[in-house]
């Protein structure tokens, strides 16, 4: 018990000595904000010290030697932010395929197969095999200038008229009115870039919205990620794919169809000098 009290007293004495030796320093930042630098500086503060701040003021309470070390680090961190141009390319591909076989003809008087008019006598069957394919591409590239370490947002799109109904209740009953509303569909991204030597670290969230159907539905693709890549080079963030198939069988033939769409997202960051 006596040993425990002794150790507790020594710990309190060491803490009081550290508090007495600690110095309070307010550092005015030139180019960065305190919110940007506090997460970087906090691990460098000696045990028992503190760091806080707001806007362009950084407040440190630590030992004199530790304060000098942090000042040297700030000389490199509190530098003029580099100007960057960020490019985001979203590639949407829509592929469709349809194949099948079809029979047309007449088996005898009054018996009709396909589009043969009734009342005509014709014997024989005609077979047709078809295979059709189609594809469409929709590539969107957006660019945005931003200072290193600062958040930026760009969104562009269109407003689409969508049919809607409003229901009102009165003493005469319920009235349903057909109206038209406009819904916005946007494509863009939110990003925070940071430079690490010849590489760039991105906290990025690209988003793509497209109309779907006639009732105001929307197709939405979105990604939220942190990635690293080389300055001046395109690199892929990710993508998505979706597919569906359908087949029909009947007296006059068989048919099958396939539909699929793919989205790929690429990004490139260049320094503006």
């Amino acid at each position: 018990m006596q040993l425990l009290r002794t150790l507790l007293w020594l710990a309190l004495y060491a803490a009081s000595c550290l508090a007495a030796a600690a110095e309070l320093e307010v550092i005015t930042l030139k180019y960065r904000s305190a919110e940007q630098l506090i997460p970087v500086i906090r691990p460098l503060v000696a045990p028992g010290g503190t760091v806080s701040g707001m806007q362009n003021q950084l407040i440190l309470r630590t030992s004199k030697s530790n304060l000098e070390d942090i000042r040297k680090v700030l000389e490199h961190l509190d530098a003029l932010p580099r100007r960057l141009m960020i490019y985001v390319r979203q590639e949407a591909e829509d592929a469709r395929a349809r194949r099948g076989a079809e029979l047309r003809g007449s088996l005898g008087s009054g018996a009709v197969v396909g589009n043969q008019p009734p009342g005509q006598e014709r014997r024989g069957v005609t077979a047709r095999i078809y295979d059709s394919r189609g594809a469409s591409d929709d590539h969107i590239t957006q660019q945005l200038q931003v200072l290193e370490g600062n958040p930026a947002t760009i969104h562009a799109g269109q407003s689409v008229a969508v049919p809607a109904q409003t229901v009102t209740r009165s003493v005469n009953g319920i009235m349903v009115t057909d109206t038209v509303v406009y819904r916005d569909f946007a494509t863009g991204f939110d990003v925070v870039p940071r430079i690490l030597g010849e590489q760039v670290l991105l906290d990025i969230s690209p988003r793509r919205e497209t109309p779907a159907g006639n009732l105001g539905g929307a197709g939405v693709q979105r990604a939220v990620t942190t990635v690293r890549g080389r300055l001046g080079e395109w690199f892929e963030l990710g993508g998505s794919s979706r597919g569906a198939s359908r087949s029909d069988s009947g007296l006059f033939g068989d048919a099958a169809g396939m539909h699929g769409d793919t989205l790929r997202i690429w990004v490139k960051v260049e320094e503006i000098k």
Side-chain angles (χ1 to χ4, degrees):
M1 189 66 178
Q2 183 63 32
L3 178 61
L4 181 60
R5 289 178 179 177
T6 302
L7 292 176
L8 180 60
W9 183 86
L10 290 174
L12 293 174
Y13 177 75
S16 63
C17 292
L18 179 61
E23 296 188 5
L24 179 66
E25 186 81 8
V26 178
I27 300 175
T28 301
L29 303 172
K30 298 179 181 178
Y31 304 107
R32 308 286 181 163
S33 67
E35 290 77 9
Q36 289 176 320
L37 294 183
I38 286 176
V40 182
I41 296 300
R42 183 173 286 118
L44 305 179
V45 178
T50 61
V51 58
S52 60
M54 61 181 352
Q55 297 181 355
N56 68 329
Q57 300 289 326
L58 197 65
I59 303 173
L60 285 160
R61 182 184 293 274
T62 186
S63 65
K64 185 175 181 179
S65 60
N66 184 228
L67 184 61
E68 291 301 320
D69 293 337
I70 292 177
R71 282 187 173 277
K72 293 179 182 179
V73 174
L74 285 174
E75 290 179 1
H76 298 279
L77 296 180
D78 187 23
L80 183 66
R82 297 157 75 174
R83 290 194 304 151
L84 305 173
M85 184 68 74
I86 301 176
Y87 303 85
V88 174
R89 186 172 69 219
Q90 302 192 47
E91 303 177 347
E93 299 179 357
D94 187 355
R96 300 172 183 270
R98 183 172 176 81
R99 60 172 61 91
E102 188 178 75
L103 300 177
R104 295 179 181 274
S106 174
L107 300 178
S109 178
V112 179
V113 178
N115 296 325
Q116 181 68 26
Q120 295 186 15
E121 182 175 347
R122 182 176 180 180
R123 299 180 182 275
V125 176
T126 301
R128 185 173 71 93
I129 300 176
Y130 59 89
D131 187 346
S132 63
R133 300 175 182 271
S136 61
D137 295 337
D138 182 12
H139 295 178
I140 299 175
T141 300
Q142 295 174 302
Q143 62 187 61
L144 181 65
Q145 186 178 148
V146 60
L147 291 176
E148 173 198 357
N150 290 273
T153 299
I154 181 173
H155 287 98
Q158 58 179 331
S159 293
V160 178
V162 178
Q165 290 184 333
T166 58
V167 180
T168 57
R169 185 186 299 272
S170 65
V171 295
N172 298 323
I174 297 176
M175 179 179 296
V176 180
T177 305
D178 293 327
T179 61
V180 174
V181 298
Y182 286 86
R183 177 168 180 177
D184 295 333
F185 297 88
T187 296
F189 60 92
D190 305 318
V191 65
V192 179
R194 297 178 178 85
I195 299 298
L196 304 173
E198 294 301 316
Q199 294 189 326
V200 59
L201 182 69
L202 295 176
D203 294 325
I204 188 168
S205 174
R207 181 182 180 93
R208 184 174 186 268
E209 298 178 346
T210 55
N214 300 321
L215 300 178
V220 179
Q221 292 93 21
R222 185 179 182 183
V224 179
T225 184
T226 299
V227 294
R228 178 184 294 190
R230 292 186 61 84
L231 283 170
E233 296 182 1
W234 286 100
F235 54 94
E236 188 172 5
L237 295 184
S240 63
S241 61
R242 180 181 60 184
S245 61
R246 182 175 64 87
S247 61
D248 300 306
S249 298
L251 177 62
F252 305 119
D254 298 328
M258 297 178 60
H259 170 241
D261 56 73
T262 303
L263 175 68
R264 301 176 67 188
I265 305 172
W266 299 78
V267 66
K268 180 176 69 172
V269 180
E270 294 179 342
E271 183 178 2
I272 301 174
K273 298 183 179 180

